Amino acid sequence: MLREQLNSAVASASELTGKGRLADAFHHLERAHVLGQANTFDHTRVHWRMLKLAVKMRSPREIWGQIIRIIGAATKTPFGIYPTGNTGGANI
């Protein structure tokens, strides 16, 4: 069930990105982040997608924030270190 919700949020983000609705797409990735942050693969995958979207949005702050978060997700999540309930954006 959780995996289905996460994949649905990622798919919605992809669809909205294709339509140029970048802010809406980012919102769906934030939801996916909350759902997947306990799993290293999903946590890192969502931050990677957030980074790609930040590039499309031309947001230096978000780009930098996502680079840092990708490193953290890949190296800390396996040890159970992750920000529970955090939406994953650079504004947090």
Side-chain angles (χ1 to χ4, degrees), residues 2-24:
L2 179 66
R3 169 80 47 192
E4 291 170 9
Q5 291 176 353
L6 188 144
N7 288 337
S8 176
V10 170
S12 293
S14 293
E15 182 181 332
L16 290 166
T17 298
K19 293 179 180 179
R21 294 175 51 194
L22 305 183
D24 292 333

Side-chain angles (χ1 to χ4, degrees), residues 13-65:
S14 293
E15 182 181 332
L16 290 166
T17 298
K19 293 179 180 179
R21 294 175 51 194
L22 305 183
D24 292 333
F26 200 86
H27 175 72
H28 282 277
L29 289 178
E30 289 177 319
R31 180 168 184 269
H33 179 268
V34 171
L35 294 170
Q37 64 190 355
N39 176 284
T40 303
F41 174 77
D42 289 326
H43 194 185
T44 307
R45 157 175 90 129
V46 170
H47 279 299
W48 173 249
R49 288 178 176 266
M50 287 178 156
L51 173 61
K52 292 188 339 183
L53 192 54
V55 170
K56 287 183 186 270
M57 296 169 77
R58 297 185 176 146
S59 172
R61 180 173 183 251
E62 194 64 50
I63 291 167
W64 177 245

